Amino acid sequence: GQGGAGRVAMAGGCFTITDRTECCLHSDGRANPTFSGQECVPSKEGAFFNPTYKVVCEPRCWADGTCRGHVSTEPSSAAGTCAASVKPPPPGTVDQAGAQIPVGGDLRFYTVASSNGAWQTWPDQLHAMLKDLGYNVNMPELGVPGAISRPSTSPVCQDAASWEGLVTPRFGMVGWSSWGFSYESTEDCDSDGYHKIAGYNVSCINAWACNPQWTGSVPLVPITPMARAFRDAHVVLLANWINDGKSTESSSVRETCFQGAHIDNMDSVEITETNLKKQIRAIHAENPNVIVLVLARYADTRMTIYVNERTLPQVKALNDAVKERLQDEPNTFFLDLDFPLNENIFQSLSKVHPNCRGDKVMATDVINKLYELKVLSRGLDLAASDNCLGSSDCANLDVPCCQRSALCYVVNGTTCAPYGPGIQ
């Protein structure tokens, strides 16, 4: 058969593939019409199409001896079959060739967050989803002051049993902004207790509103030990800058955090850029291959539990500006986040933080982004957000739409059931 459903064209030709299992995921992508579009065929285990060069993959016509104008017109005795090599992906998943981490491979991710790492479940949901996809997710404890392994408080989600026993090390520093993770110590603070960042005086007190009464036991997360702890990670998620702009939105907080400077949300981008680049470069100094995903600031709230549509343009402008500032950093990518409108997405427990539904969307979006970046060889089969993100008719949704919906989830692999905000 020509082509092959779901196969990815290998531009250099089938013969360049060195793994029999990988071979079965490709078609021949050469321009030569003799080979173009032919499905790739693996050799039998222990056999080679060309023993001298140990070739284990060739186009179908080569294996069958039917390539136009080719010297051999007999089927190759070395040809194997794909049926024995590749299992179809489980329901609700999609597979791709040429990705960094194979199914069954080790996968380590760490999260650097403010209260969204301490009061939300999205890192834990992400851990459980990656395990369900077949990855060996195993993160050693970080061993850096401030690190935690699970939320300190959060809604109890319907599927919490799938991650309750998991250890998901991360930083979840309540009330902090990006600058709490960007320094080795407080030695550069001036006599008034301020750093100089992007021309602004920024408080050395890491707490919401830079209030010394709300500081915890850890004054700052030192940047080099943090980066060193991530050395063996595949992915680091940065969700620690959400409060940067929020600290500019009230005059009293501007007074304490920025020594009364005239600074607004968009001005804070300069500070965010400086701090995130310091962190990204420190991580890449330890290991340049780490994928850094910077998560967008999610929407503001309305009536506690709903997305605030009125401020969405300002939030989008802020996210777009930060994304643009980071676009030239190697192995660094920005993850946009969208929640459905007029649905219960935010907590009543820890206000302004997404609930179980919002966390499901965040974890799903991380997996989808890593699949798009070819970090993951297996991802979730997801329908378009436009059609499914706010779908609530769960019993009538197919699996891809159910997995995309914030209001539904898949039970037992194939059944779509309503997904609530969590017990708060």
Side-chain angles (χ1 to χ4, degrees):
Q2 298 271 319
R7 291 189 177 225
V8 179
M10 176 57 73
C14 300
F15 71 93
T16 63
I17 299 169
T18 57
D19 178 83
R20 291 178 177 86
T21 301
E22 177 101 349
C23 181
C24 289
L25 299 173
H26 287 281
S27 59
D28 202 301
R30 286 176 285 185
N32 185 330
T34 299
F35 308 119
S36 180
Q38 295 269 330
E39 68 182 17
C40 297
V41 178
S43 63
K44 293 173 186 170
E45 205 65 45
F48 301 98
F49 289 110
N50 183 327
T52 304
Y53 296 103
K54 293 189 164 43
V55 175
V56 299
C57 187
E58 288 286 10
R60 166 62 67 191
C61 69
W62 186 291
D64 292 348
T66 58
C67 292
R68 191 169 61 244
H70 192 266
V71 62
S72 174
T73 57
E74 294 295 322
S76 170
S77 61
T81 62
C82 281
S85 304
V86 169
K87 295 177 185 172
T93 66
V94 286
D95 283 4
Q96 64 181 343
Q100 178 186 340
I101 303 175
V103 176
D106 291 339
L107 196 163
R108 288 176 296 282
F109 76 91
Y110 292 108
T111 301
V112 185
S114 50
S115 49
N116 57 25
W119 295 345
Q120 292 179 229
T121 63
W122 65 271
D124 313 278
Q125 294 202 36
L126 175 60
H127 189 162
M129 288 179 183
L130 289 167
K131 273 192 65 177
D132 286 347
L133 285 168
Y135 299 101
N136 178 32
V137 187
N138 184 18
M139 282 84 70
E141 296 280 3
L142 286 165
V144 179
I148 57 175
S149 298
R150 46 182 55 86
S152 56
T153 180
S154 67
V156 180
C157 306
Q158 283 161 255
D159 50 349
S162 65
W163 65 79
E164 275 176 345
L166 302 180
V167 173
T168 310
R170 79 286 215 127
F171 292 98
M173 309 306 287
V174 174
W176 284 30
S177 300
S178 63
W179 51 85
F181 308 86
S182 301
Y183 292 87
E184 304 294 354
S185 69
T186 55
E187 285 183 8
D188 76 316
C189 299
D190 65 21
S191 57
D192 292 329
Y194 287 87
H195 303 286
K196 183 69 77 173
I197 306 176
Y200 292 97
N201 290 330
V202 179
S203 177
C204 294
I205 294 168
N206 291 308
W208 174 245
C210 307
N211 185 333
Q213 295 182 327
W214 294 336
T215 56
S217 58
V218 178
L220 87 168
V221 173
I223 188 169
T224 297
M226 178 181 76
R228 197 170 290 140
F230 298 153
R231 182 184 291 161
D232 294 327
H234 297 97
V235 179
V236 172
L237 308 164
L238 297 182
N240 59 351
W241 65 278
I242 291 173
N243 290 330
D244 291 13
K246 292 189 176 188
S247 300
T248 70
E249 292 170 7
S250 105
S251 58
S252 61
V253 178
R254 283 196 301 273
E255 188 63 45
T256 53
C257 287
F258 305 109
Q259 213 169 15
H262 292 290
I263 181 172
D264 63 21
N265 244 316
M266 294 307 292
D267 295 330
S268 74
V269 171
E270 305 277 346
I271 295 170
T272 299
E273 175 193 5
T274 301
N275 291 316
L276 290 183
K277 282 183 174 178
K278 283 182 73 170
Q279 294 162 34
I280 291 162
R281 291 169 186 179
I283 291 166
H284 284 154
E286 296 290 337
N287 180 354
N289 297 318
V290 174
I291 300 292
V292 177
L293 269 192
V294 178
L295 271 64
R297 172 174 156 178
Y298 40 71
D300 298 329
T301 60
R302 171 180 64 82
M303 295 173 63
T304 304
I305 60 172
Y306 302 110
V307 167
N308 186 334
E309 292 180 63
R310 187 177 55 81
T311 62
L312 279 179
Q314 293 95 301
V315 174
K316 183 181 187 306
L318 187 72
N319 283 324
D320 287 348
V322 173
K323 183 195 302 188
E324 184 182 5
R325 300 296 181 94
L326 300 177
Q327 64 185 0
D328 294 329
E329 292 297 305
N331 269 344
T332 302
F333 305 92
F334 195 88
L335 178 62
D336 291 304
L337 297 171
D338 290 309
F339 294 148
L341 306 179
N342 301 309
E343 298 291 352
N344 181 349
I345 290 293
F346 289 93
Q347 297 184 33
S348 55
L349 174 66
S350 298
K351 291 184 174 59
V352 309
H353 295 81
N355 59 32
C356 296
R357 290 168 164 176
D359 285 342
K360 174 182 183 276
V361 171
M362 292 173 69
T364 300
D365 283 349
V366 170
I367 287 177
N368 196 42
K369 186 71 171 182
L370 294 176
Y371 187 78
E372 287 177 358
L373 294 171
K374 301 206 93 171
V375 176
L376 302 179
S377 59
R378 175 171 293 167
L380 294 167
D381 189 4
L382 297 169
S385 290
D386 291 352
N387 301 326
C388 296
L389 188 62
S391 295
S392 58
D393 186 16
C394 305
N396 292 313
L397 299 185
D398 61 12
V399 168
C401 193
C402 187
Q403 291 184 147
R404 177 62 83 179
S405 172
L407 313 175
C408 307
Y409 76 129
V410 177
V411 183
N412 300 326
T414 53
T415 303
C416 189
Y419 193 62
I423 299 169
Q424 302 170 64

